[in-house]
Amino acid sequence: MKPLKILIALGALLALTPRPTQAADWPQWRGPHRDDVSTETGLLKEWPADGPKRIWMFENAGNGYSGPAIVGDRFYTLGTRDGSEILLCLNAATGKEVWTSKLADILKNNWGDGPRGTPAVDGDRVFAMSGEGVLTCANTKDGSVVWQKKMGDLGGKIPGWGYTESPLVDGDLVICTPGGDKGTVAALDKKTGNVKWQTAEFTDGAHYSSVVPAQINGTPQYVQRTEKSIVGIRATDGHILWKSDFPGRTAVIPTPIVQGNHVYVAAGYGAGCKMIKVNADNTVETVYENKVMKNHHGGVILIGGNLYGHSEGPGWVCQDFMTGKEVWAERSALGKGAIGSADGMLYCLDEGSGTVVLVDASPAGWKEHGRFKLDPQSKIRSSSGRVWTHPVVSHGLLYLRDQDLIYCFDVKKP
């Protein structure tokens, strides 16, 4: 066979050969880049009629809406047990309990007791915020507590639905949002918990969003939002670089999305969404502000120039990132809920029924590739609560949670 024909034959063979799954850790809220876009590949593009195979189910996580942080073979989340909020470590592949660590008193709330935030893993330390605002640094080996810091000691006041923030670890700092007169956002030394800076010039009360790290116009900064403000905070000293108003109401929850020098935020309760452009001199321009995406707390994801998430009213929405215009909306296929993404697909969760649907992440429209319903479901969930923990894909596995029940499904291609 001639060399050219050999190369063509080899190319065809490689194209037909299944490619291995590219696995990825999920060390914090919304993944490595806090954008909820997994880099995993080699995942199922179609689910069997009854959904992907369940690998394991853990039944003793207690109350709470905390999501997972997954590094290597360890799965970390928050829950409740024996009258306390706990940090829980499982084997990510088997669901076997490795250790638990007592953190703080249980947050009591009509919408469900217990913690809300997701832990963050950094080396041999894991950082977690309790519902009443106790930030804990613990050892990943055995859960032993290294240090704790109360948000109340930083001037914070527990928001109406509790502290829901997922802490951010960035270099030597842990970033958190106590809110209040001493400064809305604080940076702590990750080794000691000592305060490095606090935003004295920005003193809004804490709401429910989590900080995003960014480099905007060449300046390292943290982007956070409260009920009425979106801000850029200089990473070195906590100085407010820029600020923009936001018409939030009741509860402002979804994490900001930053691309280049554009910042996008959304919120529910009729607030809608807003895109701003931060100029080189830190002046701010509003690119658009509309009601296309009224996202409550299920999250919004940016993929390929389009935003995806659930919007109060129109249902599941695809929105053009740069223009803010609606690309498509689907109301009847699935109820309101949370969203995750991996390998070009969306993992959409109906918070009411516990139904999970695999959908193309495409501006062409809502196209399903399988669905299933969580079964069994929690019997300890508050009557006012729903299945609010966001779906996560890591190492070829789909993780879901309904209070005390944590589920793991295999979504890798065979």
Side-chain angles (χ1 to χ4, degrees):
M1 185 180 291
K2 293 182 179 180
L4 179 58
K5 290 183 178 180
I6 292 173
L7 288 173
I8 292 172
L10 286 172
L13 181 62
L14 287 171
L16 292 171
T17 303
R19 297 183 180 182
T21 300
Q22 178 186 335
D25 287 339
W26 197 264
Q28 61 175 335
W29 167 243
R30 288 173 63 89
H33 306 293
R34 290 210 158 196
D35 58 5
D36 235 334
V37 179
S38 171
T39 59
E40 301 251 341
T41 58
L43 305 179
L44 292 171
K45 299 292 185 171
E46 295 281 346
W47 284 346
D50 55 353
K53 180 182 178 181
R54 192 176 79 192
I55 303 300
W56 54 260
M57 182 176 71
F58 183 78
E59 302 181 55
N60 194 24
N63 288 115
Y65 297 104
S66 177
I70 302 158
V71 176
D73 64 351
R74 291 291 181 264
F75 173 110
Y76 305 89
T77 193
L78 305 178
T80 61
R81 193 178 295 178
D82 300 328
S84 298
E85 291 190 7
I86 61 166
L87 178 59
L88 171 66
C89 177
L90 306 179
N91 182 294
T94 67
K96 300 298 183 183
E97 185 173 314
V98 180
W99 52 255
T100 62
S101 180
K102 180 179 177 180
L103 298 184
D105 293 337
I106 297 176
L107 173 79
K108 300 293 184 179
N109 190 271
N110 186 52
W111 281 262
D113 296 343
R116 279 89 163 98
T118 295
V121 181
D122 180 71
D124 61 355
R125 297 288 185 269
V126 54
F127 300 83
M129 182 76 76
S130 79
E132 291 191 342
V134 178
L135 178 59
T136 298
C137 169
N139 193 302
T140 57
K141 182 180 179 180
D142 56 10
S144 56
V145 173
V146 179
W147 57 259
Q148 291 188 313
K149 180 70 70 173
K150 295 180 179 178
M151 295 301 99
D153 293 341
L154 300 177
K157 180 182 177 181
I158 301 172
W161 284 276
Y163 277 98
T164 69
E165 183 181 31
S166 301
L168 168 69
V169 184
D170 186 38
D172 294 329
L173 302 178
V174 181
I175 311 301
C176 58
T177 308
D181 292 342
K182 291 184 179 181
T184 303
V185 177
L188 312 182
D189 184 307
K190 73 178 183 182
K191 294 180 180 178
T192 65
N194 295 333
V195 178
K196 303 295 285 187
W197 53 253
Q198 198 162 350
T199 59
E201 57 188 317
F202 175 51
T203 58
D204 285 11
H207 254 239
Y208 308 97
S209 180
S210 295
V211 172
V212 172
Q215 260 211 45
I216 300 177
N217 299 316
T219 302
Q221 55 195 273
Y222 304 116
V223 177
Q224 178 59 304
R225 41 96 63 100
T226 59
E227 185 181 20
K228 300 298 182 183
S229 307
I230 316 165
V231 296
I233 304 163
R234 191 160 58 200
T236 54
D237 58 8
H239 172 66
I240 303 303
L241 295 167
W242 53 266
K243 184 178 179 182
S244 182
D245 293 337
F246 181 77
R249 60 197 70 164
T250 310
V252 169
I253 304 168
T255 303
I257 294 172
V258 181
Q259 185 178 77
N261 63 340
H262 289 86
V263 179
Y264 172 95
V265 296
Y269 300 95
C273 59
K274 182 176 182 177
M275 159 88 86
I276 60 174
K277 177 183 177 182
V278 182
N279 297 313
D281 62 355
N282 285 320
T283 57
V284 176
E285 300 176 29
T286 297
V287 180
Y288 58 81
E289 191 170 357
N290 61 42
K291 307 288 187 180
V292 170
M293 188 71 78
K294 300 184 292 292
N295 185 261
H296 187 195
H297 49 56
V300 181
I301 295 174
L302 173 62
I303 301 174
N306 293 291
L307 297 152
Y308 300 89
H310 188 277
S311 181
E312 296 169 353
W316 294 90
V317 165
C318 174
Q319 180 184 26
D320 186 281
F321 180 68
M322 291 307 299
T323 68
K325 294 181 179 179
E326 180 184 298
V327 179
W328 56 256
E330 173 55 61
R331 187 173 183 177
S332 61
L334 190 71
K336 170 189 169 187
I339 190 170
S341 64
D343 203 9
M345 308 299 286
L346 303 175
Y347 294 74
C348 300
L349 168 65
D350 183 331
E351 66 180 37
S353 69
T355 299
V356 188
V357 180
L358 185 67
V359 181
D360 284 335
S362 169
W366 176 280
K367 184 177 180 182
E368 290 189 24
H369 295 273
R371 62 169 58 203
F372 70 97
K373 186 175 181 179
L374 290 176
D375 182 37
Q377 295 187 17
S378 176
K379 295 180 180 179
I380 69 169
R381 187 194 326 136
S382 167
S383 60
S384 299
R386 301 291 184 269
V387 187
W388 282 331
T389 303
H390 291 206
V392 165
V393 175
S394 178
H395 295 273
L397 301 172
L398 168 64
Y399 296 96
L400 297 156
R401 179 178 180 179
D402 182 13
Q403 300 292 310
D404 50 328
L405 306 180
I406 298 173
Y407 318 78
C408 174
F409 299 86
D410 187 354
V411 292
K412 298 185 296 294
K413 287 182 180 177

